[in-house]
Amino acid sequence: MRRRPMLEVCDVTTCYGRIRALDQVSLTVEAGEIVCLIGANGAGKTTLLNTISGLVPAAGGVVRFEGRPISRLPAEQIVRLGISHVPERRQVFGSLDVRENLLLGAYSRARRAGPAAIRRDSEQVFELFPALRSRSRQLAGTLSGGEQQMLAVGRGLMARPRLMLLDEPALGLAPLIVQELFRIFAGLRRSGTTILLVEQNARAALRVADRGCVLENGRVALRGTASELAANDGLQRAYLGQTNHRRRPDLGGPDSLTSG
Ligand code: ATP
């Protein structure tokens, strides 16, 4: 019998007043995969992550995590189930130091796990991001952009998520830092963390992802394996550099290359 996907987004519609930001979007993420979401500005990528993590309510459809419907649960309960959301624009607490930011990431499990486990986990984050270790007492607001992004991801990891939602983690970062971050994402996947990644840098995302999904005006325009998407002409023109204006791409039809 086929195992259920870890995450199932089924016909989800999300509205802001009269604006329909997501229109019957369906998507699955299997345990152990990296799936990337690609799309122009305003396509609905952030809205999809916010809907999954319970920050905005779905107006229709259902989101299931490990078989359990979560679309009506409050955000803090969704975190406790094992979904960690690292939002766009590295939202760290600027007036707290690095260590305090990490501790806040463990907030939902601190009482259950106890201080020794939380210390071990922050040690693991420092191993993953050595640049943060030497700055553990530095105020987060004074870190560089790349360091803040690492801290935001590290804080997300402190919740010990089974699924991480990463919203444009490479935004505004220098190419070398982007490479480093994506290397870390690949490592996280190898150690069993499943990732749904929103990324404007489609080339970098498709290099690290197993599968991808292209959103256009709140709808799924195309989906497939990373190599299928990388080879798609319309997607190459729109997102992989040839024109790079990222507006209403002609993807050669709305249908999927593969299901899922
Ligand atoms: P970007 O790549 O620019 O971050 P995105 O693909 O993440 O874009 P969303 O931020 O999900 O897109 O926005 C989808 C649509 O919903 C856009 O038309 C946007 O203007 C609208 N929208 C997003 N947030 C709100 C809000 N809080 N109130 C009203 N409209 C919103």
Side-chain angles (χ1 to χ4, degrees):
M1 200 174 70
R2 198 165 173 265
R3 241 178 358 130
R4 271 196 108 121
M6 174 179 262
L7 180 77
E8 297 166 275
V9 174
C10 307
D11 291 328
V12 163
T13 295
T14 301
C15 302
Y16 301 104
R18 290 213 301 236
I19 296 173
R20 187 177 281 240
L22 296 178
D23 190 4
Q24 298 195 303
V25 168
S26 294
L27 160 92
T28 60
V29 181
E30 306 282 343
E33 271 190 319
I34 297 183
V35 174
C36 68
L37 279 175
I38 299 168
N41 294 125
K45 307 178 298 295
T46 295
T47 301
L48 181 51
L49 295 198
N50 287 346
T51 306
I52 294 167
S53 65
L55 295 179
V56 295
V62 65
V63 180
R64 286 195 201 88
F65 179 60
E66 297 179 331
R68 171 181 179 169
I70 59 167
S71 2
R72 304 209 181 282
L73 298 181
E76 61 274 17
Q77 204 169 330
I78 293 176
V79 175
R80 262 186 253 122
L81 289 176
I83 300 182
S84 186
H85 183 181
V86 179
E88 205 175 354
R89 286 179 233 291
R90 37 188 117 106
Q91 293 174 6
V92 295
F93 296 97
S95 57
L96 300 181
D97 70 22
V98 165
R99 200 184 40 92
E100 290 165 332
N101 267 276
L102 290 180
L103 291 181
L104 276 180
Y107 177 77
S108 63
R109 53 183 278 266
R111 206 177 307 155
R112 240 177 322 123
I118 304 294
R119 259 198 311 277
R120 257 198 320 273
D121 287 352
S122 40
E123 195 46 42
Q124 273 179 7
V125 170
F126 288 140
E127 269 164 34
L128 212 53
F129 299 108
L132 294 180
R133 186 194 296 280
S134 54
R135 294 170 173 80
S136 67
R137 299 284 169 179
Q138 188 173 327
L139 293 185
T142 64
L143 295 172
S144 73
E147 290 160 357
Q148 288 191 22
Q149 192 57 62
M150 290 172 192
L151 179 56
V153 175
R155 194 182 59 199
L157 285 171
M158 289 294 290
R160 287 229 158 195
R162 289 197 295 288
L163 171 66
M164 275 194 110
L165 310 176
L166 298 173
D167 198 348
E168 303 214 20
L171 194 69
L173 299 183
L176 272 180
I177 312 273
V178 174
Q179 261 182 33
E180 169 74 5
L181 261 182
F182 277 76
R183 199 181 50 73
I184 286 166
F185 297 155
L188 286 177
R189 192 253 313 263
R190 279 196 298 278
S191 62
T193 309
T194 305
I195 296 176
L196 178 58
L197 170 72
V198 165
E199 189 48 68
Q200 289 263 353
N201 185 342
R203 193 182 298 279
L206 288 174
R207 225 177 270 141
V208 77
D210 300 287
R211 290 189 296 120
C213 178
V214 181
L215 280 183
E216 198 185 308
N217 294 329
R219 287 173 163 260
V220 175
L222 189 70
R223 66 175 105 228
T225 64
S227 46
E228 285 169 340
L229 291 180
N232 181 279
D233 279 347
L235 189 130
Q236 278 188 6
R237 272 195 306 277
Y239 300 102
L240 295 179
Q242 268 96 328
T243 55
N244 206 28
H245 46 60
R246 293 201 290 250
R247 294 172 64 191
R248 304 229 64 211
D250 174 11
L251 296 173
D255 266 332
S256 58
L257 296 164
T258 58
S259 61

PDB file of all heavy atoms in Angstrom, residues 109-140:
ATOM      1  N   ARG A 109       8.555  23.543  22.925  1.00  0.00           N
ATOM      2  CA  ARG A 109       8.876  22.228  23.486  1.00  0.00           C
ATOM      3  C   ARG A 109       9.781  22.308  24.703  1.00  0.00           C
ATOM      4  O   ARG A 109      10.192  21.277  25.246  1.00  0.00           O
ATOM      5  CB  ARG A 109       9.522  21.354  22.407  1.00  0.00           C
ATOM      6  CG  ARG A 109      10.723  22.012  21.726  1.00  0.00           C
ATOM      7  CD  ARG A 109      11.266  21.138  20.633  1.00  0.00           C
ATOM      8  NE  ARG A 109      12.145  20.126  21.175  1.00  0.00           N
ATOM      9  CZ  ARG A 109      13.474  20.256  21.269  1.00  0.00           C
ATOM     10  NH1 ARG A 109      14.065  21.348  20.823  1.00  0.00           N
ATOM     11  NH2 ARG A 109      14.194  19.298  21.773  1.00  0.00           N
ATOM     12  N   ALA A 110      10.085  23.542  25.152  1.00  0.00           N
ATOM     13  CA  ALA A 110      11.102  23.710  26.196  1.00  0.00           C
ATOM     14  C   ALA A 110      10.723  22.964  27.479  1.00  0.00           C
ATOM     15  O   ALA A 110      11.550  22.273  28.078  1.00  0.00           O
ATOM     16  CB  ALA A 110      11.318  25.189  26.480  1.00  0.00           C
ATOM     17  N   ARG A 111       9.456  23.071  27.876  1.00  0.00           N
ATOM     18  CA  ARG A 111       9.074  22.476  29.152  1.00  0.00           C
ATOM     19  C   ARG A 111       9.150  20.956  29.078  1.00  0.00           C
ATOM     20  O   ARG A 111       9.669  20.293  29.964  1.00  0.00           O
ATOM     21  CB  ARG A 111       7.672  22.925  29.554  1.00  0.00           C
ATOM     22  CG  ARG A 111       7.562  22.851  31.064  1.00  0.00           C
ATOM     23  CD  ARG A 111       6.265  23.334  31.641  1.00  0.00           C
ATOM     24  NE  ARG A 111       5.853  24.659  31.234  1.00  0.00           N
ATOM     25  CZ  ARG A 111       4.571  25.045  31.246  1.00  0.00           C
ATOM     26  NH1 ARG A 111       3.636  24.218  31.604  1.00  0.00           N
ATOM     27  NH2 ARG A 111       4.247  26.260  30.901  1.00  0.00           N
ATOM     28  N   ARG A 112       8.688  20.414  27.963  1.00  0.00           N
ATOM     29  CA  ARG A 112       8.698  18.958  27.788  1.00  0.00           C
ATOM     30  C   ARG A 112      10.120  18.425  27.662  1.00  0.00           C
ATOM     31  O   ARG A 112      10.490  17.432  28.266  1.00  0.00           O
ATOM     32  CB  ARG A 112       7.922  18.609  26.508  1.00  0.00           C
ATOM     33  CG  ARG A 112       6.733  17.732  26.721  1.00  0.00           C
ATOM     34  CD  ARG A 112       5.991  17.492  25.412  1.00  0.00           C
ATOM     35  NE  ARG A 112       5.951  18.680  24.555  1.00  0.00           N
ATOM     36  CZ  ARG A 112       6.416  18.725  23.306  1.00  0.00           C
ATOM     37  NH1 ARG A 112       6.968  17.675  22.757  1.00  0.00           N
ATOM     38  NH2 ARG A 112       6.331  19.831  22.599  1.00  0.00           N
ATOM     39  N   ALA A 113      10.943  19.122  26.856  1.00  0.00           N
ATOM     40  CA  ALA A 113      12.272  18.590  26.525  1.00  0.00           C
ATOM     41  C   ALA A 113      13.277  18.788  27.653  1.00  0.00           C
ATOM     42  O   ALA A 113      14.174  17.961  27.837  1.00  0.00           O
ATOM     43  CB  ALA A 113      12.772  19.265  25.252  1.00  0.00           C
ATOM     44  N   GLY A 114      13.164  19.880  28.395  1.00  0.00           N
ATOM     45  CA  GLY A 114      14.119  20.140  29.481  1.00  0.00           C
ATOM     46  C   GLY A 114      15.361  20.862  28.967  1.00  0.00           C
ATOM     47  O   GLY A 114      15.685  20.788  27.782  1.00  0.00           O
ATOM     48  N   PRO A 115      16.077  21.542  29.902  1.00  0.00           N
ATOM     49  CA  PRO A 115      17.188  22.412  29.496  1.00  0.00           C
ATOM     50  C   PRO A 115      18.365  21.680  28.844  1.00  0.00           C
ATOM     51  O   PRO A 115      19.003  22.208  27.942  1.00  0.00           O
ATOM     52  CB  PRO A 115      17.617  23.077  30.818  1.00  0.00           C
ATOM     53  CG  PRO A 115      16.936  22.335  31.904  1.00  0.00           C
ATOM     54  CD  PRO A 115      15.777  21.610  31.328  1.00  0.00           C
ATOM     55  N   ALA A 116      18.628  20.434  29.262  1.00  0.00           N
ATOM     56  CA  ALA A 116      19.793  19.728  28.696  1.00  0.00           C
ATOM     57  C   ALA A 116      19.571  19.468  27.203  1.00  0.00           C
ATOM     58  O   ALA A 116      20.475  19.686  26.379  1.00  0.00           O
ATOM     59  CB  ALA A 116      20.025  18.427  29.450  1.00  0.00           C
ATOM     60  N   ALA A 117      18.363  19.030  26.855  1.00  0.00           N
ATOM     61  CA  ALA A 117      18.066  18.737  25.443  1.00  0.00           C
ATOM     62  C   ALA A 117      18.118  20.019  24.614  1.00  0.00           C
ATOM     63  O   ALA A 117      18.615  20.025  23.481  1.00  0.00           O
ATOM     64  CB  ALA A 117      16.686  18.085  25.329  1.00  0.00           C
ATOM     65  N   ILE A 118      17.622  21.101  25.204  1.00  0.00           N
ATOM     66  CA  ILE A 118      17.609  22.367  24.447  1.00  0.00           C
ATOM     67  C   ILE A 118      19.045  22.845  24.225  1.00  0.00           C
ATOM     68  O   ILE A 118      19.393  23.328  23.139  1.00  0.00           O
ATOM     69  CB  ILE A 118      16.813  23.453  25.226  1.00  0.00           C
ATOM     70  CG1 ILE A 118      15.388  22.966  25.527  1.00  0.00           C
ATOM     71  CG2 ILE A 118      16.788  24.781  24.478  1.00  0.00           C
ATOM     72  CD1 ILE A 118      14.505  22.755  24.343  1.00  0.00           C
ATOM     73  N   ARG A 119      19.899  22.665  25.252  1.00  0.00           N
ATOM     74  CA  ARG A 119      21.321  23.045  25.087  1.00  0.00           C
ATOM     75  C   ARG A 119      21.971  22.213  23.987  1.00  0.00           C
ATOM     76  O   ARG A 119      22.705  22.727  23.149  1.00  0.00           O
ATOM     77  CB  ARG A 119      22.072  22.843  26.414  1.00  0.00           C
ATOM     78  CG  ARG A 119      22.299  24.158  27.191  1.00  0.00           C
ATOM     79  CD  ARG A 119      23.396  24.009  28.233  1.00  0.00           C
ATOM     80  NE  ARG A 119      23.230  22.829  29.070  1.00  0.00           N
ATOM     81  CZ  ARG A 119      22.437  22.766  30.142  1.00  0.00           C
ATOM     82  NH1 ARG A 119      21.723  23.821  30.511  1.00  0.00           N
ATOM     83  NH2 ARG A 119      22.333  21.660  30.856  1.00  0.00           N
ATOM     84  N   ARG A 120      21.672  20.920  23.980  1.00  0.00           N
ATOM     85  CA  ARG A 120      22.239  20.030  22.944  1.00  0.00           C
ATOM     86  C   ARG A 120      21.817  20.496  21.558  1.00  0.00           C
ATOM     87  O   ARG A 120      22.608  20.532  20.627  1.00  0.00           O
ATOM     88  CB  ARG A 120      21.738  18.604  23.167  1.00  0.00           C
ATOM     89  CG  ARG A 120      22.767  17.691  23.813  1.00  0.00           C
ATOM     90  CD  ARG A 120      22.433  16.218  23.645  1.00  0.00           C
ATOM     91  NE  ARG A 120      21.024  15.881  23.788  1.00  0.00           N
ATOM     92  CZ  ARG A 120      20.415  15.608  24.954  1.00  0.00           C
ATOM     93  NH1 ARG A 120      21.097  15.645  26.083  1.00  0.00           N
ATOM     94  NH2 ARG A 120      19.134  15.289  24.986  1.00  0.00           N
ATOM     95  N   ASP A 121      20.549  20.891  21.449  1.00  0.00           N
ATOM     96  CA  ASP A 121      20.053  21.311  20.137  1.00  0.00           C
ATOM     97  C   ASP A 121      20.696  22.621  19.690  1.00  0.00           C
ATOM     98  O   ASP A 121      21.034  22.784  18.516  1.00  0.00           O
ATOM     99  CB  ASP A 121      18.523  21.468  20.172  1.00  0.00           C
ATOM    100  CG  ASP A 121      17.850  20.115  20.228  1.00  0.00           C
ATOM    101  OD1 ASP A 121      18.561  19.102  20.093  1.00  0.00           O
ATOM    102  OD2 ASP A 121      16.620  20.067  20.402  1.00  0.00           O
ATOM    103  N   SER A 122      20.888  23.565  20.641  1.00  0.00           N
ATOM    104  CA  SER A 122      21.543  24.808  20.196  1.00  0.00           C
ATOM    105  C   SER A 122      22.988  24.517  19.810  1.00  0.00           C
ATOM    106  O   SER A 122      23.519  25.100  18.863  1.00  0.00           O
ATOM    107  CB  SER A 122      21.423  25.955  21.207  1.00  0.00           C
ATOM    108  OG  SER A 122      21.577  25.514  22.503  1.00  0.00           O
ATOM    109  N   GLU A 123      23.606  23.530  20.478  1.00  0.00           N
ATOM    110  CA  GLU A 123      24.963  23.113  20.094  1.00  0.00           C
ATOM    111  C   GLU A 123      24.960  22.596  18.653  1.00  0.00           C
ATOM    112  O   GLU A 123      25.842  22.916  17.855  1.00  0.00           O
ATOM    113  CB  GLU A 123      25.406  22.029  21.094  1.00  0.00           C
ATOM    114  CG  GLU A 123      26.869  21.696  21.112  1.00  0.00           C
ATOM    115  CD  GLU A 123      27.764  22.926  21.127  1.00  0.00           C
ATOM    116  OE1 GLU A 123      27.476  23.907  21.861  1.00  0.00           O
ATOM    117  OE2 GLU A 123      28.740  22.910  20.373  1.00  0.00           O
ATOM    118  N   GLN A 124      23.931  21.824  18.314  1.00  0.00           N
ATOM    119  CA  GLN A 124      23.840  21.300  16.937  1.00  0.00           C
ATOM    120  C   GLN A 124      23.676  22.431  15.926  1.00  0.00           C
ATOM    121  O   GLN A 124      24.231  22.390  14.830  1.00  0.00           O
ATOM    122  CB  GLN A 124      22.654  20.347  16.822  1.00  0.00           C
ATOM    123  CG  GLN A 124      23.040  18.937  17.214  1.00  0.00           C
ATOM    124  CD  GLN A 124      21.857  17.982  17.134  1.00  0.00           C
ATOM    125  OE1 GLN A 124      20.775  18.338  16.671  1.00  0.00           O
ATOM    126  NE2 GLN A 124      22.064  16.778  17.616  1.00  0.00           N
ATOM    127  N   VAL A 125      22.883  23.451  16.299  1.00  0.00           N
ATOM    128  CA  VAL A 125      22.713  24.588  15.389  1.00  0.00           C
ATOM    129  C   VAL A 125      24.056  25.286  15.195  1.00  0.00           C
ATOM    130  O   VAL A 125      24.424  25.659  14.072  1.00  0.00           O
ATOM    131  CB  VAL A 125      21.640  25.575  15.921  1.00  0.00           C
ATOM    132  CG1 VAL A 125      21.632  26.863  15.120  1.00  0.00           C
ATOM    133  CG2 VAL A 125      20.257  24.931  15.902  1.00  0.00           C
ATOM    134  N   PHE A 126      24.824  25.425  16.270  1.00  0.00           N
ATOM    135  CA  PHE A 126      26.141  26.064  16.149  1.00  0.00           C
ATOM    136  C   PHE A 126      27.090  25.220  15.292  1.00  0.00           C
ATOM    137  O   PHE A 126      27.950  25.743  14.608  1.00  0.00           O
ATOM    138  CB  PHE A 126      26.759  26.309  17.534  1.00  0.00           C
ATOM    139  CG  PHE A 126      26.079  27.422  18.297  1.00  0.00           C
ATOM    140  CD1 PHE A 126      25.843  27.312  19.654  1.00  0.00           C
ATOM    141  CD2 PHE A 126      25.689  28.594  17.654  1.00  0.00           C
ATOM    142  CE1 PHE A 126      25.209  28.335  20.353  1.00  0.00           C
ATOM    143  CE2 PHE A 126      25.062  29.622  18.349  1.00  0.00           C
ATOM    144  CZ  PHE A 126      24.815  29.489  19.700  1.00  0.00           C
ATOM    145  N   GLU A 127      26.918  23.892  15.343  1.00  0.00           N
ATOM    146  CA  GLU A 127      27.756  23.049  14.475  1.00  0.00           C
ATOM    147  C   GLU A 127      27.392  23.256  13.015  1.00  0.00           C
ATOM    148  O   GLU A 127      28.245  23.290  12.145  1.00  0.00           O
ATOM    149  CB  GLU A 127      27.578  21.576  14.843  1.00  0.00           C
ATOM    150  CG  GLU A 127      28.597  21.149  15.887  1.00  0.00           C
ATOM    151  CD  GLU A 127      28.216  19.853  16.560  1.00  0.00           C
ATOM    152  OE1 GLU A 127      27.627  18.972  15.907  1.00  0.00           O
ATOM    153  OE2 GLU A 127      28.496  19.742  17.777  1.00  0.00           O
ATOM    154  N   LEU A 128      26.090  23.409  12.787  1.00  0.00           N
ATOM    155  CA  LEU A 128      25.604  23.631  11.415  1.00  0.00           C
ATOM    156  C   LEU A 128      26.020  25.012  10.903  1.00  0.00           C
ATOM    157  O   LEU A 128      26.351  25.188   9.730  1.00  0.00           O
ATOM    158  CB  LEU A 128      24.075  23.537  11.456  1.00  0.00           C
ATOM    159  CG  LEU A 128      23.302  23.020  10.270  1.00  0.00           C
ATOM    160  CD1 LEU A 128      23.839  21.682   9.828  1.00  0.00           C
ATOM    161  CD2 LEU A 128      21.832  22.878  10.677  1.00  0.00           C
ATOM    162  N   PHE A 129      25.971  25.996  11.786  1.00  0.00           N
ATOM    163  CA  PHE A 129      26.286  27.384  11.415  1.00  0.00           C
ATOM    164  C   PHE A 129      27.396  27.913  12.335  1.00  0.00           C
ATOM    165  O   PHE A 129      27.126  28.678  13.270  1.00  0.00           O
ATOM    166  CB  PHE A 129      25.055  28.281  11.567  1.00  0.00           C
ATOM    167  CG  PHE A 129      23.882  27.900  10.721  1.00  0.00           C
ATOM    168  CD1 PHE A 129      22.753  27.332  11.271  1.00  0.00           C
ATOM    169  CD2 PHE A 129      23.897  28.134   9.350  1.00  0.00           C
ATOM    170  CE1 PHE A 129      21.656  26.995  10.497  1.00  0.00           C
ATOM    171  CE2 PHE A 129      22.816  27.792   8.556  1.00  0.00           C
ATOM    172  CZ  PHE A 129      21.694  27.222   9.136  1.00  0.00           C
ATOM    173  N   PRO A 130      28.641  27.515  12.066  1.00  0.00           N
ATOM    174  CA  PRO A 130      29.738  27.923  12.966  1.00  0.00           C
ATOM    175  C   PRO A 130      29.839  29.443  13.104  1.00  0.00           C
ATOM    176  O   PRO A 130      30.272  29.929  14.155  1.00  0.00           O
ATOM    177  CB  PRO A 130      30.985  27.357  12.282  1.00  0.00           C
ATOM    178  CG  PRO A 130      30.490  26.332  11.332  1.00  0.00           C
ATOM    179  CD  PRO A 130      29.102  26.687  10.963  1.00  0.00           C
ATOM    180  N   ALA A 131      29.415  30.186  12.076  1.00  0.00           N
ATOM    181  CA  ALA A 131      29.500  31.651  12.157  1.00  0.00           C
ATOM    182  C   ALA A 131      28.678  32.182  13.327  1.00  0.00           C
ATOM    183  O   ALA A 131      28.960  33.265  13.855  1.00  0.00           O
ATOM    184  CB  ALA A 131      29.010  32.269  10.854  1.00  0.00           C
ATOM    185  N   LEU A 132      27.657  31.446  13.725  1.00  0.00           N
ATOM    186  CA  LEU A 132      26.791  31.925  14.811  1.00  0.00           C
ATOM    187  C   LEU A 132      27.405  31.677  16.194  1.00  0.00           C
ATOM    188  O   LEU A 132      27.130  32.405  17.137  1.00  0.00           O
ATOM    189  CB  LEU A 132      25.416  31.241  14.762  1.00  0.00           C
ATOM    190  CG  LEU A 132      24.540  31.545  13.551  1.00  0.00           C
ATOM    191  CD1 LEU A 132      23.226  30.789  13.677  1.00  0.00           C
ATOM    192  CD2 LEU A 132      24.282  33.047  13.430  1.00  0.00           C
ATOM    193  N   ARG A 133      28.257  30.641  16.282  1.00  0.00           N
ATOM    194  CA  ARG A 133      28.784  30.276  17.593  1.00  0.00           C
ATOM    195  C   ARG A 133      29.586  31.422  18.215  1.00  0.00           C
ATOM    196  O   ARG A 133      29.360  31.817  19.355  1.00  0.00           O
ATOM    197  CB  ARG A 133      29.650  29.033  17.502  1.00  0.00           C
ATOM    198  CG  ARG A 133      30.100  28.518  18.863  1.00  0.00           C
ATOM    199  CD  ARG A 133      31.206  27.507  18.729  1.00  0.00           C
ATOM    200  NE  ARG A 133      30.795  26.301  18.018  1.00  0.00           N
ATOM    201  CZ  ARG A 133      30.116  25.294  18.560  1.00  0.00           C
ATOM    202  NH1 ARG A 133      29.757  25.360  19.817  1.00  0.00           N
ATOM    203  NH2 ARG A 133      29.807  24.241  17.858  1.00  0.00           N
ATOM    204  N   SER A 134      30.474  32.006  17.391  1.00  0.00           N
ATOM    205  CA  SER A 134      31.337  33.062  17.934  1.00  0.00           C
ATOM    206  C   SER A 134      30.530  34.341  18.197  1.00  0.00           C
ATOM    207  O   SER A 134      31.034  35.275  18.798  1.00  0.00           O
ATOM    208  CB  SER A 134      32.469  33.344  16.963  1.00  0.00           C
ATOM    209  OG  SER A 134      31.925  33.639  15.700  1.00  0.00           O
ATOM    210  N   ARG A 135      29.295  34.358  17.718  1.00  0.00           N
ATOM    211  CA  ARG A 135      28.464  35.551  17.915  1.00  0.00           C
ATOM    212  C   ARG A 135      27.299  35.269  18.849  1.00  0.00           C
ATOM    213  O   ARG A 135      26.301  35.986  18.825  1.00  0.00           O
ATOM    214  CB  ARG A 135      27.923  36.026  16.565  1.00  0.00           C
ATOM    215  CG  ARG A 135      29.016  36.512  15.643  1.00  0.00           C
ATOM    216  CD  ARG A 135      28.531  36.767  14.233  1.00  0.00           C
ATOM    217  NE  ARG A 135      29.565  37.379  13.424  1.00  0.00           N
ATOM    218  CZ  ARG A 135      30.568  36.702  12.869  1.00  0.00           C
ATOM    219  NH1 ARG A 135      30.645  35.392  13.020  1.00  0.00           N
ATOM    220  NH2 ARG A 135      31.494  37.333  12.171  1.00  0.00           N
ATOM    221  N   SER A 136      27.406  34.238  19.669  1.00  0.00           N
ATOM    222  CA  SER A 136      26.234  33.803  20.437  1.00  0.00           C
ATOM    223  C   SER A 136      25.718  34.882  21.389  1.00  0.00           C
ATOM    224  O   SER A 136      24.550  34.890  21.742  1.00  0.00           O
ATOM    225  CB  SER A 136      26.517  32.512  21.184  1.00  0.00           C
ATOM    226  OG  SER A 136      27.480  32.750  22.174  1.00  0.00           O
ATOM    227  N   ARG A 137      26.599  35.828  21.782  1.00  0.00           N
ATOM    228  CA  ARG A 137      26.138  36.898  22.685  1.00  0.00           C
ATOM    229  C   ARG A 137      25.906  38.211  21.941  1.00  0.00           C
ATOM    230  O   ARG A 137      25.701  39.249  22.560  1.00  0.00           O
ATOM    231  CB  ARG A 137      27.180  37.140  23.784  1.00  0.00           C
ATOM    232  CG  ARG A 137      27.440  35.936  24.653  1.00  0.00           C
ATOM    233  CD  ARG A 137      26.320  35.727  25.649  1.00  0.00           C
ATOM    234  NE  ARG A 137      26.444  34.441  26.311  1.00  0.00           N
ATOM    235  CZ  ARG A 137      25.626  34.003  27.236  1.00  0.00           C
ATOM    236  NH1 ARG A 137      24.617  34.736  27.625  1.00  0.00           N
ATOM    237  NH2 ARG A 137      25.795  32.830  27.774  1.00  0.00           N
ATOM    238  N   GLN A 138      25.990  38.143  20.619  1.00  0.00           N
ATOM    239  CA  GLN A 138      25.801  39.375  19.834  1.00  0.00           C
ATOM    240  C   GLN A 138      24.304  39.601  19.582  1.00  0.00           C
ATOM    241  O   GLN A 138      23.553  38.648  19.346  1.00  0.00           O
ATOM    242  CB  GLN A 138      26.540  39.222  18.498  1.00  0.00           C
ATOM    243  CG  GLN A 138      26.581  40.488  17.670  1.00  0.00           C
ATOM    244  CD  GLN A 138      27.485  40.305  16.440  1.00  0.00           C
ATOM    245  OE1 GLN A 138      28.487  39.586  16.480  1.00  0.00           O
ATOM    246  NE2 GLN A 138      27.121  40.959  15.353  1.00  0.00           N
ATOM    247  N   LEU A 139      23.885  40.871  19.649  1.00  0.00           N
ATOM    248  CA  LEU A 139      22.477  41.167  19.376  1.00  0.00           C
ATOM    249  C   LEU A 139      22.156  40.813  17.924  1.00  0.00           C
ATOM    250  O   LEU A 139      22.907  41.155  17.004  1.00  0.00           O
ATOM    251  CB  LEU A 139      22.184  42.651  19.615  1.00  0.00           C
ATOM    252  CG  LEU A 139      22.277  43.144  21.062  1.00  0.00           C
ATOM    253  CD1 LEU A 139      21.836  44.595  21.165  1.00  0.00           C
ATOM    254  CD2 LEU A 139      21.436  42.269  22.000  1.00  0.00           C
ATOM    255  N   ALA A 140      21.019  40.127  17.741  1.00  0.00           N
ATOM    256  CA  ALA A 140      20.683  39.636  16.402  1.00  0.00           C
ATOM    257  C   ALA A 140      20.566  40.775  15.395  1.00  0.00           C
ATOM    258  O   ALA A 140      20.893  40.617  14.220  1.00  0.00           O
ATOM    259  CB  ALA A 140      19.389  38.835  16.470  1.00  0.00           C
TER     260      ALA A 140
END
